């Protein structure tokens, strides 16, 4: 093991097989946004989320049963699992699916690339082991500019018009209008909320590291399914429209591969090489998301999407520059 990876906390230095697994994971998660966009052609966002949760939970519970692994018995573990399952699966799945009703898959993937930068802010505020440095502040600022760029000129024009005209019945109706500017803004905000939810779940999982990865993932997905199914049934009745073959394939991919199999890949890669190496997947997911959207829909990404992608990736890269000095002391 090299000194660099020993300092980074990796169990062993990653090899070319680990790099291939990292790229595969980035491709799987990047293609999830494309699958969501296809799935929404035949079903509502909550029905899509519920289907995804049922499939992924069933897969991991089956693996648990084959391995004869028991569920945790401590009450505090289940309380933490219940909280983690909300922010690691149910909430982000629902927010991203709802947001993609008005946001294309390429833009959604780029917005999710801001997740690591949100995680930096949360770690600074709530932990003492990852304090803000000058590089991290610059990185977060670059990423924030990239996110703002995605909201577009029309959204800012609508905001200015709203400020000048005040809040009235027409503006409230426009807020939820299908296909309107505000619908796109709300969709983008929902996807950013999904990224923040994933970042928050990373903080909450720290006390669950003693669990077998299959047990932790299966338990979280089971809990997410149990308390999301009633919400989906109440909101949409779990109804689907004209179910197409590609929509069925998209939902199966989301549940079995992007949610179930990818969770096991992630945990195993962290176990083999450490969390620092695994964190580099944040560079790959938005790139694959934009590429898959362009290839499948033959839809060239907008210039502002590409510019935002560059800013966010630069922000993530700059924020990971390691320096001894910190601009914010612990507790500041």
């Amino acid at each position: 093991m090299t000194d660099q990876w020993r300092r980074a906390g990796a169990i062993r230095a990653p090899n070319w097989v680990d790099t291939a697994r990292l790229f595969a994971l980035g491709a799987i998660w990047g293609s999830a946004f494309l699958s969501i966009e296809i799935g929404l052609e035949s079903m509502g966002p909550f029905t899509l989320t519920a289907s995804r949760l049922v499939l992924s939970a069933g897969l991991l519970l089956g693996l648990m049963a084959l391995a004869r692994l028991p569920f945790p018995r401590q009450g505090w573990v289940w309380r933490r699992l219940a909280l983690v399952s909300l922010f690691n699966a149910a909430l982000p799945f629902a927010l991203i699916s709802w947001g993609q009703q008005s946001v294309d898959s390429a833009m959604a993937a780029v917005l999710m690339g801001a997740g690591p930068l949100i995680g930096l802010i949360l770690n600074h505020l709530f932990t003492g082991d990852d304090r803000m440095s000058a590089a991290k502040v610059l990185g977060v600022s670059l990423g924030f500019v990239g996110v703002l760029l995605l909201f577009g000129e029309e959204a800012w024009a609508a905001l200015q018009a709203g400020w000048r005209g005040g809040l009235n019945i027409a503006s409230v109706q426009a807020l939820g209008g299908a296909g309107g500017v505000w619908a796109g803004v709300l969709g983008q905000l929902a996807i950013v909320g999904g990224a923040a939810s994933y970042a928050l779940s990373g903080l909450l999982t720290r006390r669950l590291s003693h669990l077998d990865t299959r047990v932790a993932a299966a338990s979280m997905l089971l809990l997410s399914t149990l308390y999301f199914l009633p919400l989906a049934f109440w909101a949409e009745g779990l109804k689907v429209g004209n179910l197409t073959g590609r929509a069925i394939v998209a939902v199966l991919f989301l549940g079995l591969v992007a949610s179930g199999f990818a969770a096991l890949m992630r945990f195993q890669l962290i176990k083999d090489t450490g969390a620092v190496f695994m964190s580099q997947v944040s560079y790959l997911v938005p790139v694959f998301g934009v590429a898959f959207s362009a290839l499948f829909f033959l839809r060239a990404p907008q210039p502002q999407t590409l510019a935002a992608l560059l800013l966010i990736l630069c922000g993530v890269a700059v924020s990971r520059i390691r320096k001894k000095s910190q601009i914010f002391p612990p507790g500041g």
Side-chain angles (χ1 to χ4, degrees), residues 6 96 108 110 206 268 277 292 296 300 303 310 319 322 324:
R6 184 179 294 112
I96 294 166
V110 176
R206 294 187 175 208
Q268 189 61 49
F277 179 72
F292 285 137
F296 187 86
L310 179 61
S319 68
R322 299 288 179 179
K324 295 182 179 179

Side-chain angles (χ1 to χ4, degrees), residues 17 25 66 73 83 85 88 97 106 132 152 157-158 214 228 268 283 300 307 316 326 328:
V17 175
L25 199 53
L66 288 175
R73 296 184 178 180
L83 188 60
S85 62
N88 192 61
S97 296
M132 277 290 188
R214 292 163 292 183
F228 191 81
Q268 189 61 49
Y283 296 104
V316 174
Q326 297 174 328
F328 297 111

